[in-house]
Amino acid sequence: MDNSTLIGMVSIITAGVTMAIGGMIPALGQGKSIAAALNSLAQQPDANQTITRTLFVGLAMLESVAIYCFVIAMILIFANPFWNHFIA
Amino acid sequence: MDNSTLIGMVSIITAGVTMAIGGMIPALGQGKSIAAALNSLAQQPDANQTITRTLFVGLAMLESVAIYCFVIAMILIFANPFWNHFIA
Amino acid sequence: MDNSTLIGMVSIITAGVTMAIGGMIPALGQGKSIAAALNSLAQQPDANQTITRTLFVGLAMLESVAIYCFVIAMILIFANPFWNHFIA
Amino acid sequence: MDNSTLIGMVSIITAGVTMAIGGMIPALGQGKSIAAALNSLAQQPDANQTITRTLFVGLAMLESVAIYCFVIAMILIFANPFWNHFIA
Amino acid sequence: MDNSTLIGMVSIITAGVTMAIGGMIPALGQGKSIAAALNSLAQQPDANQTITRTLFVGLAMLESVAIYCFVIAMILIFANPFWNHFIA
Amino acid sequence: MDNSTLIGMVSIITAGVTMAIGGMIPALGQGKSIAAALNSLAQQPDANQTITRTLFVGLAMLESVAIYCFVIAMILIFANPFWNHFIA
Amino acid sequence: MDNSTLIGMVSIITAGVTMAIGGMIPALGQGKSIAAALNSLAQQPDANQTITRTLFVGLAMLESVAIYCFVIAMILIFANPFWNHFIA
Amino acid sequence: MDNSTLIGMVSIITAGVTMAIGGMIPALGQGKSIAAALNSLAQQPDANQTITRTLFVGLAMLESVAIYCFVIAMILIFANPFWNHFIA
Amino acid sequence: MDNSTLIGMVSIITAGVTMAIGGMIPALGQGKSIAAALNSLAQQPDANQTITRTLFVGLAMLESVAIYCFVIAMILIFANPFWNHFIA
Amino acid sequence: MDNSTLIGMVSIITAGVTMAIGGMIPALGQGKSIAAALNSLAQQPDANQTITRTLFVGLAMLESVAIYCFVIAMILIFANPFWNHFIA
Amino acid sequence: MDNSTLIGMVSIITAGVTMAIGGMIPALGQGKSIAAALNSLAQQPDANQTITRTLFVGLAMLESVAIYCFVIAMILIFANPFWNHFIA
Amino acid sequence: MDNSTLIGMVSIITAGVTMAIGGMIPALGQGKSIAAALNSLAQQPDANQTITRTLFVGLAMLESVAIYCFVIAMILIFANPFWNHFIA
Amino acid sequence: MDNSTLIGMVSIITAGVTMAIGGMIPALGQGKSIAAALNSLAQQPDANQTITRTLFVGLAMLESVAIYCFVIAMILIFANPFWNHFIA
Amino acid sequence: MDNSTLIGMVSIITAGVTMAIGGMIPALGQGKSIAAALNSLAQQPDANQTITRTLFVGLAMLESVAIYCFVIAMILIFANPFWNHFIA
């Protein structure tokens, strides 16, 4: 096990785990928000403009957390400064 | 255990675990959303256009998180830069 | 423990675990959706066309996550690039 | 511990665990669906045709996830390509 | 620890654990279904034919998951191909 | 630690754990069913024939899962083929 | 650590753990049943004959699971075939 | 670490753990039963004879599970056949 | 690490853990019972004699489980037969 | 690591853990009791004598479990028979 | 790792963990009590004297458990008899 | 494993884990807030100005916690003082 | 790993963990209290003086537990008697 | 692994974990508070001044716990007395 292997292994694992765990709760939050939106639509069909707009802003906000994780996973796979140091 | 074996093992495990765990919560969110949609339909059958449209946008959004994980799993199996480095 | 044994072991474990864990939550989501559909039918028998259609779209969507996991398990058992590399 | 022993051990464990864990949640989902169906029947006895039909489609769908796991367990015990490679 | 001992140990553990864990959730599902059936009977005594029939179909379905696990446990104890290979 | 000791230890542990864990959830299911039956009796005393009959069928069904586990525990203690192989 | 010590240790631990864990859920189930019985008595004092009878049948049934565990614990301490084999 | 030390250590740990864990859930069940009894008394003060009697039978039943665990703990400390074998 | 040290260490740990864990759930049960008693008093101030009496019997019963654990902890610290054997 | 160090370490850890864990649930129970008392006061201000008295008896009872743990922690730090044996 | 280092390490860890864990549940209980007090005030503003007084007694009681833990942490850091023994 | 490899590995893991775990609960909180906002809109469409404004302030506040974690992850990857020390 | 390194490491970890864990539940309690206060304000706007005052006393009380943990973390980093002993 | 590497590693991990875990529950509390505020606004739009003010005081209070953790993480990365000792 030389140094670059170790860095490689750790990068792979961290990339996968960060994406998998970091995407879990935003997805849960989105599920909750969509469910709440659907209930609200059933209850107050006339407010459907405001509800849809608020829902989309909220989903975008939640997606942003998942995207932070995706960004870190991508950095670790394709632009990893530690890996670059060792294979240099 | 030489280096490429280690990288190979770690890639396999991470690919599987990322897909398995990363797909869990989007699926849970989708289940919740569908359940909420069905309840809303039962309560307000007339709003069924808006409800169906909102549901499908939501499902697509959630599917996207599962797909990020699938993409990472596929990259790790078929386009893994660390693996390519070691077998080169 | 030579290299191909290790890769083989890891592939077997990952295939099984990915299927087992990755299939759990879609199944839970499907259970929830079916339960919600049945409640909705009891509450609003006249909307049964819309309810059934929405339910089936939802189940298909959820099944897709379980199928991603099944695909990865199958790739790991029968078309595993790492295994092919080592037994070559 | 030679190679075939290791592959054998891992196959046995994975087969059992995949079946045990993979069968858990479909069973939970089925339990939920049946319970919901029974409540719906009590509430709306006249819709019993639609309810029974929807329930059976749902149960079949859920059973399919358990069967994927059973298939993988059976492949690992009786048609395992890694095991065949080592005892060849 | 020679090879057959290892295979034997692993078979025993897996058989027990598969049965114990794999039987848990079907039992939970059955408990839920029976409880729901009893509540439904109290609420709608006249539908008792349909309720009883639906309950029994459901219990049979759930029992099947427990039986898959029992089958795998039995195969591992009395018809284990890996064990047969090593004691041959 | 010779081979028969290992097989013996593993058999003892597995027998105990299978019984302990495998008996947990059927007992939980039975508790739920009995509680539901008692509530139903309080709500609809006149249906007490049907309720009692359904309860007893359900308890028997749940007991069967606990008994599968008991059977496996007994086989492991008194009719264990692996143990017989090693002390032969 | 000779063989009989190991078998002895494992028997002690398993006996204790089987009793402790295996007695947990029956006790929980009994607690639930008793609580349900008390609520039912408060709600329908006139059905107290049927309620008491159903409760006692249920408690006996649950006690039986705890007793299976007690039996196994006792067998492991006082009639353990593996221990007898080694001290013979 | 000679044999009798090991047996002694294991006996101490198992005795404590069996009592601690095995007494947990009966206590929880008793707490639930007493709470239910108090609610029932508040709701139906006239049924207080039947309620008190049912409560005491139930508490005795639950205490019995805790006592099985206490018995096993006492056997392990003061009448342990394995310990007697080794110090003989 | 000679034998008496080991026995001493194990006794200390077990004494503490038995008391800590074994006292948890009785305390939880007592908390539940007291809360239920206070609610019942608010709902039915006239039944306060019966309620108080039932509460005190119940608290005593629960305290008994905590006291079993305290007894075992005290035995392990001040009257431990294994310790006495080794320092003799 | 000589014997007295080991005994010292174990005593410190056990004292801290016993207090920390053993004090948790009594505190939870007290929190529940106080919350219930406050709700009861809001609902039935006239019963405030009985409520306050019952609450204080209950808190004292719960405090007693925390105090058993405190006693054991103090014994382990300042009057530990095993420690005294080794430094003698 | 000489003896005083070990004792020092263990004291630090135990002090921190005892405070962190031991303070958790009293804080939870306080949160619950305050929430209940606020709800009670909203429901019965006239009883605000009694409510405030009961709340403060309760908070003090709960704080006492957190303070026991703080005392033990302080003893372990600044007046630790085992540490004094080793640096003497 | 030389020093810079170790620091590199630890930095990668910590960066990923901090982002993944630290982003979970803010996302959950945002999901809850959006759901509550949608329910409030359905209930009181006229207050939609205040609700939207409060929601956005809240989401920004929660996002800030996720951003603290992102900042630390970025510092660990691109401006890590420990790494700079070792590669200097 | 000499002694001061070990003490240093342990102090860092304990400081961080004590703050992180010890701050969790007070924060949860504060969240609960604020939520309860907001609900109470919505329900009884006239009692807003008493509610605000009670809330602030409660928050201060809860903050105190978090501050105990912060104090211990600070002592471990900047005024650690064990560290001073070893670097002296 | 020399001393400064160890201190470095431990500081990195602790900084990340403290921030990630320590920020979780304040975020959860904030989510709860915002949700409660939104519900209160929907229920009592006229009290919106008091509600907004109370909400902001509460959020600030909760943010303070997250900031304690951020401070400790920053101290560990940029002003760590142990690290300074070792690189001096």
Side-chain angles (χ1 to χ4, degrees), chain J residues 4 8 11-14 17-18 23 28 32 34 42 45 51-53 58 62 71 74-75 82-83 86 88:
Chain J
S4 52
S11 301
I12 293 172
I13 294 173
T14 308
V17 167
T18 303
L28 187 61
K32 265 193 180 156
I34 299 167
I51 289 172
T52 311
R53 206 193 49 220
L62 280 163
V71 164
M74 281 298 126
I75 287 173
F82 305 99
W83 171 256
F86 282 105

Side-chain angles (χ1 to χ4, degrees), chain F residues 10-32:
Chain F
V10 160
S11 301
I12 292 172
I13 295 173
T14 309
V17 168
T18 302
M19 189 65 243
I21 295 180
M24 268 165 72
I25 304 296
L28 187 61
Q30 290 183 336
K32 266 193 179 155

Side-chain angles (χ1 to χ4, degrees), chain B residues 16-70:
Chain B
V17 167
T18 302
M19 189 64 241
I21 294 181
M24 268 165 71
I25 303 296
L28 187 60
Q30 289 183 336
K32 266 193 179 157
S33 304
I34 298 168
L38 291 164
N39 287 337
S40 303
L41 280 174
Q43 207 183 324
Q44 196 67 268
D46 300 333
N48 104 41
Q49 295 265 328
T50 335
I51 289 172
T52 310
R53 207 193 47 220
T54 309
L55 174 66
F56 286 174
V57 171
L59 291 183
M61 208 88 188
L62 281 163
E63 197 72 14
S64 79
V65 177
I67 284 174
Y68 291 171
C69 293
F70 191 65

Side-chain angles (χ1 to χ4, degrees), chain H residues 24-68:
Chain H
M24 269 165 71
I25 304 295
L28 187 60
Q30 289 182 336
K32 266 193 179 155
S33 305
I34 299 167
L38 290 165
N39 287 337
S40 304
L41 280 174
Q43 205 184 325
Q44 196 68 268
D46 300 333
N48 103 40
Q49 296 265 328
T50 335
I51 290 173
T52 311
R53 205 193 49 218
T54 309
L55 175 66
F56 287 175
V57 171
L59 291 182
M61 208 89 187
L62 281 163
E63 198 73 15
S64 79
V65 178
I67 286 174
Y68 291 171

Side-chain angles (χ1 to χ4, degrees), chain N residues 1-75:
Chain N
M1 278 200 287
D2 62 4
N3 294 338
S4 53
T5 317
L6 273 166
I7 292 289
M9 278 165 62
V10 159
S11 302
I12 293 172
I13 295 173
T14 309
V17 167
T18 302
M19 189 65 242
I21 294 181
M24 268 165 73
I25 303 295
L28 187 61
Q30 290 182 336
K32 266 194 179 154
S33 304
I34 299 166
L38 291 165
N39 287 336
S40 303
L41 281 174
Q43 208 185 323
Q44 195 69 266
D46 300 332
N48 103 40
Q49 294 266 328
T50 336
I51 289 173
T52 311
R53 205 193 50 218
T54 310
L55 175 66
F56 288 175
V57 171
L59 291 183
M61 208 88 187
L62 280 164
E63 198 72 14
S64 79
V65 177
I67 285 174
Y68 291 170
C69 293
F70 191 65
V71 162
I72 286 188
M74 282 298 125
I75 286 172

Side-chain angles (χ1 to χ4, degrees), chain I residues 27 30-31 34 38 55-56 59 63, chain J residues 26-27 29-31 33-34 51-68, chain K residues 57-58 61-62 64-65 68:
Chain I
Q30 288 182 337
I34 299 167
L38 290 165
L55 175 67
F56 287 175
L59 291 182
E63 198 72 14
Chain J
Q30 289 183 336
S33 304
I34 299 167
I51 289 172
T52 311
R53 206 193 49 220
T54 310
L55 175 66
F56 287 176
V57 172
L59 292 183
M61 208 90 187
L62 280 163
E63 198 72 14
S64 79
V65 178
I67 285 173
Y68 291 171
Chain K
V57 172
M61 208 89 187
L62 280 163
S64 80
V65 178
Y68 291 171

Side-chain angles (χ1 to χ4, degrees), chain I residues 27-29 31-32 35, chain J residues 24-40 55 59 62, chain K residues 23-41 51 54-56 58-59 62-63, chain M residues 24-37 39-40 54-55 57-59 61-62 65, chain N residues 32:
Chain I
L28 187 61
K32 266 193 179 155
Chain J
M24 269 165 72
I25 303 294
L28 187 61
Q30 289 183 336
K32 265 193 180 156
S33 304
I34 299 167
L38 291 165
N39 287 337
S40 303
L55 175 66
L59 292 183
L62 280 163
Chain K
M24 268 165 72
I25 303 295
L28 187 61
Q30 289 182 337
K32 265 193 180 155
S33 304
I34 299 167
L38 290 164
N39 286 337
S40 303
L41 280 174
I51 289 172
T54 310
L55 175 67
F56 287 176
L59 291 182
L62 280 163
E63 198 73 14
Chain M
M24 267 165 73
I25 303 295
L28 187 60
Q30 289 183 337
K32 265 194 179 154
S33 304
I34 300 167
N39 288 336
S40 303
T54 310
L55 175 67
V57 172
L59 291 182
M61 208 89 187
L62 280 164
V65 178
Chain N
K32 266 194 179 154

Side-chain angles (χ1 to χ4, degrees), chain L residues 3 6 25 40 44 58 62 64, chain N residues 1 5 24 27 34 38 42 63:
Chain L
N3 295 338
L6 273 166
I25 303 296
S40 303
Q44 196 68 266
L62 280 164
S64 79
Chain N
M1 278 200 287
T5 317
M24 268 165 73
I34 299 166
L38 291 165
E63 198 72 14

